[in-house]
Amino acid sequence: MDVQKILAAMTPEVYQKLLAAAETGKWADGTPLTEAQKESTMQAVMLYQSRHNTEAEHMTVAAGGEIRFKSKSELKRDFAIEDSETPVADIARFSLQQN
C-alpha cells in the first residue's frame, strides 16, 4: 500500500489505538500482537508522528520525520518536577509504633 494512502486513511482515533497497541503489545480487546503486527504497528505510529506530531514528547518522531528529544529542563517544566534543592511538601507522614 502507498504511504500517502495509509496516512490519508489514518485518523487521530486510529493513531491512538495503534499507539496504545504498540506501547502495551496488545490490542484494545486484550489480544496480544504478533511479531509482524508489532513491527507494522510501530512503523505506522512512527509514520503518523513524522507527519502530524508538532508537540513531540521525550524521544518521539516529530513532524518532518525528525527524532525529537526533550532536554532535562523541558521535561522538568512539562511534568512540574521540582529541583532536588527545593523541598517537596509531604503527602502523608506515618508514625510506626511497636507494642
Side-chain angles (χ1 to χ4, degrees):
M1 187 180 259
D2 182 18
V3 172
Q4 296 303 324
K5 288 181 183 179
I6 292 172
L7 283 174
M10 193 182 305
T11 64
E13 293 79 21
V14 170
Y15 164 73
Q16 288 299 325
K17 289 179 182 182
L18 291 173
L19 180 62
E23 289 174 344
T24 63
K26 297 178 185 177
W27 295 114
D29 67 358
T31 306
L33 275 69
T34 65
E35 285 303 314
Q37 288 172 330
K38 287 179 187 177
E39 289 178 23
S40 297
T41 300
M42 183 61 76
Q43 289 177 3
V45 165
M46 291 172 62
L47 180 62
Y48 184 90
Q49 287 178 345
S50 73
R51 302 291 164 84
H52 300 286
N53 195 3
T54 57
E55 292 294 323
E57 295 178 19
H58 176 70
M59 208 178 103
T60 61
V61 180
E66 185 177 323
I67 294 179
R68 171 81 164 97
F69 294 94
K70 284 192 175 181
S71 68
K72 188 174 179 179
S73 62
E74 287 175 307
L75 290 171
K76 282 183 175 183
R77 184 190 66 239
D78 290 349
F79 293 106
I81 299 171
E82 300 197 22
D83 292 333
S84 59
E85 297 173 9
T86 306
V88 178
D90 291 334
I91 294 173
R93 288 185 183 220
F94 298 95
S95 176
L96 299 176
Q97 297 177 0
Q98 293 183 353
N99 294 332

